Amino acid sequence: MPQNMPQTTTTPDQPMTGKVPEAANANAPVGTGASQGQGRQTGPDSFADVVAAVSPAVVNITTTAVVSRPVQQGPAFPEGSPFSDLFRDFGIPGPGRRGDSPFGGPMQQERSTALGSGFVISSDGFIVTNNHVIDGADEIEIEFYSGARLPAKLVGTDPTTDIAVLKVQADKPLPFLKFGDSDAARVGDWVLALGNPLGQGLSASSGIISAKSRALTGTYDDFIQTDAAINRGNSGGPLFNMQGEVVGVNTAILSPNGGSIGIGFSMASNVVSKVVDQLREFGETRRGWLGVKIQDVTPDIANSLGLAAEKGAMVTDVPAGPAADAGVQAGDVITRFAGGEVADTRDLVRRVADAPVGEAVDVTVQRAGKPVDLKITLGRRELADADERGEGEERGDPQSQQGDAVLGMTLSRLTPDLAARLRLPENSKGLVVEDVDAKSDAAAKGLQPGDVIVEAGQKPVATLGDLRGRVAEAKEAGRQSVLLLIRRGGEPRFLALSID
């Protein structure tokens, strides 16, 4: 959960980096010393040189906003008294109580102040922070290491990655930082976090990279996990490698009490730098859009398709958009995008987002056991139609005519009347799941009554005979599972069911 958290001798037009202490052994990597005993790598003797070099470009951010508070009503009791606790338990405002009143009533406007961190990325005053640090603010003030304060204007935000870019007007060039390569950072590398925790002013904390490529809640998440202490007020501050380069932006912590327990998350610099470039140029993000719904290729799916490895992104649906125009089909497995192999859905999503809008890219899909090369002109993600999510389907009527059992499911043919009740087009074809054997693979894979099977073995099914035929074909091919395309709540999804 996200938690809110220049005196230098460097040349103003050059980014600031830390001068790492010289290694004790010529064979030791930069930023570490070598022990005299067994030649083991040890940590730096001190982080002081790095802190001194980069601190002038790290800033404190204060925001103010007008918020509405409920007007205190009713009797007032001293805080801590039994009556105060009683009123609190029942949601009635007492002295100093804030928050939305559960009973409505008059509201009053107040000015609220919040604190966060950030860092300068150019000599002309561009500053990076978290979107949640400045969200809703009507005034933003930047405090520099030297104590100077300047008002800032919002350049642009990207709530998806929780990044914001600000701009200040300074009388002289400002010391600034440069982004490092977060992909080159390794688990176990030393890192340094600087920021303004709990409003205490510039503070440094050190630790290691605990993990990489963490996904929290966002589509484009690529977090570095660190045990360097990160607290409220650190949000938006930089995470440095030992060369003084920014490899992450401190964004969130995992904590039961709101304080650091050694599990902090920083958005990787290779994601942030691309977002920042777009915000500086356009004031908004412009991500590529392929126009497909996808899912990971599981071992069962790979087996059912005869794929050599569980790689790529499987297309579950192709609504109107760039992919549909280029001939992409549901059931295709996207294996290559813009000249590179696709590892999984996360990999494809990030690469599409980074690709230029309006430019054609080469895409390779695996279809019916053969590679198919396509050229797709990407659209823009932010302008994609909101109805891409589709309309919800209702579950099947439990009173519908019961059919036969196949693969542990009781199935019925999709009639026009049933299609209408499920809010499907009149000409829809498929098989409706009416019941699922709790001991079957279908139940283990999550199939439910009301699901509609529209394909099996990547071929349409309209009757039980069609489904049995697809199962027989899979067995003849020596496969252990058959691939089904189902629709639930308007969303398509592929599942591979065991046919042993």
Side-chain angles (χ1 to χ4, degrees), residues 4 61-67 110-116 132-142 149 151-152:
N4 280 3
I61 298 177
T62 303
T63 64
T64 58
V66 176
V67 297
E110 301 177 357
R111 294 199 67 80
S112 175
T113 301
L115 302 173
H132 75 261
V133 170
I134 53 83
D135 189 29
D138 50 32
E139 291 183 8
I140 305 172
E141 185 180 66
I142 306 299
R149 296 174 179 265

Side-chain angles (χ1 to χ4, degrees), residues 278-294:
Q278 291 191 350
L279 294 180
R280 289 179 65 175
E281 183 175 359
F282 307 115
E284 59 186 358
T285 55
R286 297 185 179 182
R287 294 187 171 95
W289 177 53
L290 194 57
V292 292
K293 295 181 180 180
I294 54 178

Side-chain angles (χ1 to χ4, degrees), residues 383-396:
L383 300 181
D385 293 336
D387 63 359
E388 182 184 348
R389 294 185 299 274
E391 293 293 331
E393 294 174 350
E394 292 181 352
R395 290 181 179 265

Side-chain angles (χ1 to χ4, degrees), residues 429-499:
K429 295 181 179 181
L431 297 170
V432 180
V433 178
E434 295 189 348
D435 194 18
V436 182
D437 184 347
K439 299 179 181 179
S440 68
D441 188 46
K445 295 293 174 59
L447 278 161
Q448 302 174 1
D451 290 343
V452 180
I453 301 173
V454 296
E455 285 186 9
Q458 297 190 292
K459 296 179 182 179
V461 293
T463 67
L464 290 169
D466 291 339
L467 179 58
R468 290 192 177 101
R470 302 295 92 78
V471 172
E473 290 172 2
K475 288 182 177 180
E476 290 175 3
R479 293 173 183 163
Q480 299 175 342
S481 57
V482 63
L483 189 68
L484 303 182
L485 174 60
I486 69 167
R487 288 188 176 273
R488 176 191 300 166
E491 294 294 329
R493 186 163 186 82
F494 283 99
L495 293 172
L497 295 189
S498 173
I499 56 178

Side-chain angles (χ1 to χ4, degrees), residues 46-65:
S46 173
F47 295 93
D49 288 344
V50 180
V51 173
V54 301
S55 292
V58 181
V59 300
N60 298 337
I61 298 177
T62 303
T63 64
T64 58

Side-chain angles (χ1 to χ4, degrees), residues 1-351:
M1 61 192 79
Q3 303 284 351
N4 280 3
M5 11 184 249
Q7 298 174 358
T8 178
T9 58
T10 59
T11 304
D13 292 329
Q14 295 295 323
M16 305 180 63
T17 58
K19 185 179 186 304
V20 181
E22 185 176 348
N25 187 305
N27 293 322
V30 175
T32 64
S35 69
Q36 298 295 323
Q38 301 299 322
R40 292 179 293 112
Q41 301 292 326
T42 63
D45 293 334
S46 173
F47 295 93
D49 288 344
V50 180
V51 173
V54 301
S55 292
V58 181
V59 300
N60 298 337
I61 298 177
T62 303
T63 64
T64 58
V66 176
V67 297
S68 296
R69 307 288 191 192
V71 177
Q72 179 178 318
Q73 301 180 52
F77 299 100
E79 187 63 35
S81 72
F83 294 103
S84 176
D85 293 338
L86 178 64
F87 274 71
R88 179 186 296 107
D89 292 341
F90 282 90
I92 302 175
R97 295 280 290 159
R98 293 189 174 186
D100 295 332
S101 169
F103 305 107
M107 305 289 287
Q108 64 183 10
Q109 291 189 328
E110 301 177 357
R111 294 199 67 80
S112 175
T113 301
L115 302 173
S117 305
F119 55 99
V120 184
I121 59 168
S122 67
S123 61
D124 57 348
F126 282 96
I127 294 171
V128 172
T129 187
N130 281 147
N131 175 62
H132 75 261
V133 170
I134 53 83
D135 189 29
D138 50 32
E139 291 183 8
I140 305 172
E141 185 180 66
I142 306 299
E143 181 183 3
F144 294 89
Y145 184 66
S146 64
R149 296 174 179 265
L150 289 174
K153 292 184 178 181
L154 181 62
V155 174
T157 66
D158 179 33
T160 304
T161 56
D162 199 14
I163 294 298
V165 175
L166 312 175
K167 181 71 164 62
V168 296
Q169 295 292 339
D171 296 335
K172 58 183 180 180
L174 298 172
F176 63 98
L177 303 169
K178 73 172 184 177
F179 289 108
D181 182 2
S182 55
D183 289 343
R186 303 169 303 164
V187 174
D189 281 349
W190 285 101
V191 285
L192 180 72
L194 264 68
N196 179 26
L198 304 174
Q200 297 301 302
L202 183 69
S203 298
S205 58
S206 65
I208 63 169
I209 294 177
S210 305
K212 293 181 60 180
S213 299
R214 292 295 200 204
L216 300 183
T217 58
T219 304
Y220 307 103
D221 284 3
D222 186 10
F223 284 102
I224 293 173
Q225 180 184 327
T226 178
D227 63 353
I230 296 174
N231 289 285
R232 294 180 180 179
N234 275 114
S235 288
L239 186 74
F240 294 100
N241 60 21
M242 290 299 92
Q243 287 71 50
E245 300 169 328
V246 178
V247 294
V249 177
N250 301 324
T251 302
I253 60 174
L254 183 63
S255 173
N257 54 21
S260 174
I261 60 170
I263 304 178
F265 300 94
S266 300
M267 183 62 75
S269 60
N270 286 359
V271 173
V272 175
S273 60
K274 295 182 178 71
V275 171
V276 168
D277 288 344
Q278 291 191 350
L279 294 180
R280 289 179 65 175
E281 183 175 359
F282 307 115
E284 59 186 358
T285 55
R286 297 185 179 182
R287 294 187 171 95
W289 177 53
L290 194 57
V292 292
K293 295 181 180 180
I294 54 178
Q295 70 179 71
D296 284 330
V297 177
T298 65
D300 285 343
I301 291 176
N303 176 270
S304 67
L305 294 176
L307 298 177
E310 303 111 43
K311 292 184 178 180
M314 187 166 200
V315 179
T316 61
D317 196 16
V318 191
D325 295 341
V328 177
Q329 301 176 9
D332 287 347
V333 177
I334 300 175
T335 57
R336 295 183 66 85
F337 179 86
E341 291 189 0
V342 175
D344 52 26
T345 54
R346 285 185 67 193
D347 181 34
L348 179 62
V349 167
R350 292 174 188 167
R351 293 173 62 177

